[in-house]
Amino acid sequence: MKEDLALFEGYEIRRVYDEKTETWLFSVVDIVRVLTQQADYQTARKYWNKLKERLRTEGSQSVT
């Protein structure tokens, strides 16, 4: 697997390229950070954890 950074509107988004499946895997926390325009990683991580908790109570499943 090959690690790389993508830039989106000035934010760095971590990503990994899986050569076996020829797909990019992106960091959900980094994407949440961009969408919510959070200044730091920890706030975005807390937002994602709370969202996962709410989704779980509704019966949705997230995959790590």
Side-chain angles (χ1 to χ4, degrees), residues 2-8 11-17 24-27 30 33:
K2 175 183 145 188
E3 293 183 26
D4 194 13
L5 286 176
L7 287 177
F8 181 78
Y11 291 94
E12 291 182 343
I13 298 176
R14 292 170 290 164
R15 65 182 181 174
V16 176
Y17 185 71
W24 283 101
L25 306 170
F26 294 88
S27 167
D30 291 350
R33 181 177 175 210

Side-chain angles (χ1 to χ4, degrees), residues 8 11 13 28-38 47:
F8 181 78
Y11 291 94
I13 298 176
V28 172
V29 173
D30 291 350
I31 293 171
V32 166
R33 181 177 175 210
V34 171
L35 294 175
T36 59
Q37 299 178 346
Q38 297 295 324
Y47 184 97

